[in-house]
Amino acid sequence: MATEMEELVAFLSSPSPQIAKAAVDIVRGLTGSVEGLDSLANYSNTLTPSLSRLLSAPKEVSEGAAEALVNLSQNSRLAEEMVRTGLVKTTMDVLCRAECGIGRLLVMLLVNLTQLDAGVASLLQTEDEKVRGLYVMKLVRSFCRTGHESNDDAFEHVGSILVNISKQREGRELLLDPKRGLLKQIIRQFDSNSSLRRKGVSGTIRNCCFEAENQLQNLLLVSEFLWPALLLPVAGNKIYSEHDRSKMPLELGTALSIEREPDNDPEIRIQALEAIYLISLQEAGRRAFWSVNGPRIVQIGFEDEEDPKVMEAYEQLGSLLIHSNIAEEQSNETTK
């Protein structure tokens, strides 16, 4: 005889919309507690496929199914099973439909699934060369196209997905591919009013900078957008002198010629400084940094900084620049 939980899971596949909705509502409620998640986990073989199929149902059913999957995917074992059974593909197929009304929940589901290496590989479509990167391109397009200043920003969590995939080399190489132009699109979201978007952008840039040794040229191809995204958050709120601004690109100099609200998220400032540090480890990267008067910006920004962890990031970068400068001067003296 079937247990009550087995009957509940079976009702998710009922042809009756009313019965399926009632079952979804109960499952969603159970996923809101640790005890409920534990009890449902024992039936994951049938539970997650049933919920996945309901993502294509009308919103009154699909919304509850998506919320239940988001909660269930916080369990790493269940998330692994979801990835293995193709939930990333199912989620993207539903998300890309024009009439999708549960976009925010589906994006949050992808955030959880891409915390796993297998989830990243599935989103990158690494096993199929013909479509490799297509899902990511669609997500970036939605991330950059949507009205992100509204209160209902369904795609703001895409920034977290980009951070997750850029933790892996294949993800970084995809984002840095100049033919696709994805990094340029992403960087241009750095001035969003959404802290979550800005944090996603800064984290993605920082991760991509781990490829600076091999892909510095591709990073610097978007320097027109890269340097403002990295330097403005760490520039403090002072109005810069005309002398300092004259050594900067127009966009940077203009932004630093007026009073500004400082970036109040220390994590974003740390990520920006770490990205600059990774670029500056390369000689060509340091030259590019000096060419925009970056050291002066970092110096002034450090004077305004109060957060101890951010100050450490400033000091790490400053130490690198000082030692690199000394080494270069010694090398020049030797060659004379």
Side-chain angles (χ1 to χ4, degrees):
M1 181 178 294
T3 65
E4 288 185 2
M5 192 64 73
E6 288 171 334
E7 290 181 347
L8 172 61
V9 173
F11 283 142
L12 291 171
S13 302
S14 171
S16 166
Q18 293 83 3
I19 293 176
K21 182 181 184 307
V24 165
D25 289 342
I26 294 172
V27 169
R28 174 173 56 180
L30 288 171
T31 62
S33 68
V34 175
E35 296 79 8
L37 283 172
D38 287 343
S39 62
L40 288 169
N42 296 322
Y43 303 90
S44 60
N45 288 339
T46 52
L47 174 64
T48 53
S50 297
L51 289 172
S52 299
R53 286 192 293 270
L54 291 174
L55 292 177
S56 299
K59 186 177 180 180
E60 57 266 22
V61 175
S62 62
E63 188 170 38
E67 188 174 333
L69 285 168
V70 169
N71 291 340
L72 288 164
S73 64
Q74 295 177 52
N75 178 301
S76 59
R77 183 179 67 80
L78 293 179
E80 288 174 0
E81 187 171 319
M82 290 176 186
V83 171
R84 190 169 59 252
T85 55
L87 185 54
V88 170
K89 181 182 185 304
T90 301
T91 302
M92 284 300 304
D93 288 346
V94 176
L95 185 60
C96 291
R97 295 176 187 171
E99 71 278 8
C100 178
I102 55 172
R104 171 179 282 272
L105 287 168
L106 294 181
V107 170
M108 291 173 66
L109 177 58
L110 290 173
V111 172
N112 290 346
L113 297 181
T114 54
Q115 291 183 33
L116 303 171
D117 289 350
V120 171
S122 184
L123 188 65
L124 292 174
Q125 301 165 283
T126 56
E127 294 183 357
D128 190 342
E129 190 62 39
K130 293 181 180 179
V131 296
R132 186 187 297 248
L134 183 61
Y135 286 160
V136 176
M137 292 175 69
K138 289 181 176 180
L139 285 173
V140 170
R141 184 168 63 243
S142 295
F143 181 59
C144 298
R145 187 179 57 195
T146 49
H148 55 268
E149 307 306 336
S150 66
N151 292 328
D152 184 24
D153 184 358
F155 288 93
E156 66 177 349
H157 286 278
V158 169
S160 300
I161 297 173
L162 296 173
V163 170
N164 288 344
I165 67 172
S166 62
K167 289 177 181 177
Q168 294 192 17
R169 171 161 288 181
E170 285 190 327
R172 295 192 294 269
E173 290 176 348
L174 173 69
L175 296 177
L176 284 165
D177 184 348
K179 294 179 181 178
R180 297 179 187 264
L182 296 177
L183 186 61
K184 180 179 178 180
Q185 296 177 56
I186 294 164
I187 291 176
R188 295 175 74 171
Q189 292 292 304
F190 87 95
D191 60 351
S192 169
N193 289 336
S194 165
S195 176
L196 186 58
R197 277 178 174 264
R198 294 198 310 276
K199 191 176 294 185
V201 171
S202 64
T204 302
I205 295 172
R206 188 273 309 272
N207 289 348
C208 284
C209 287
F210 280 105
E211 296 297 319
E213 182 177 0
N214 302 313
Q215 298 219 41
L216 181 64
Q217 189 59 41
N218 286 338
L219 280 165
L220 296 182
L221 278 175
V222 294
S223 59
E224 176 186 356
F225 306 99
L226 179 67
W227 290 125
L230 295 180
L231 287 168
L232 291 179
V234 300
N237 58 1
K238 290 187 176 74
I239 296 177
Y240 282 58
S241 70
E242 185 176 347
H243 175 72
D244 286 336
R245 299 197 311 271
S246 68
K247 301 177 183 179
M248 302 174 190
L250 181 61
E251 185 173 353
L252 262 178
T254 301
L256 297 176
S257 68
I258 57 176
E259 290 186 5
R260 309 169 305 286
E261 287 291 328
D263 196 302
N264 58 9
D265 191 326
E267 186 175 349
I268 289 175
R269 301 199 297 280
I270 290 173
Q271 289 172 339
L273 290 163
E274 289 177 345
I276 297 169
Y277 177 86
L278 290 166
I279 292 172
S280 298
L281 284 172
Q282 312 305 316
E283 183 179 351
R286 288 194 300 276
R287 288 200 302 268
F289 183 53
W290 279 94
S291 73
V292 297
N293 209 12
R296 179 58 176 160
I297 295 173
V298 169
Q299 179 187 13
I300 293 176
F302 179 72
E303 293 170 357
D304 290 339
E305 187 57 59
E306 296 180 354
D307 186 284
K309 291 184 178 179
V310 183
M311 292 176 73
E312 287 180 12
Y314 274 108
E315 290 165 356
Q316 180 188 41
L317 174 59
S319 177
L320 170 65
L321 295 174
I322 291 170
H323 286 111
S324 298
N325 197 33
I326 292 172
E328 288 170 10
E329 286 179 355
Q330 290 175 341
S331 176
N332 291 337
E333 286 294 327
T334 303
T335 56
K336 284 182 180 179

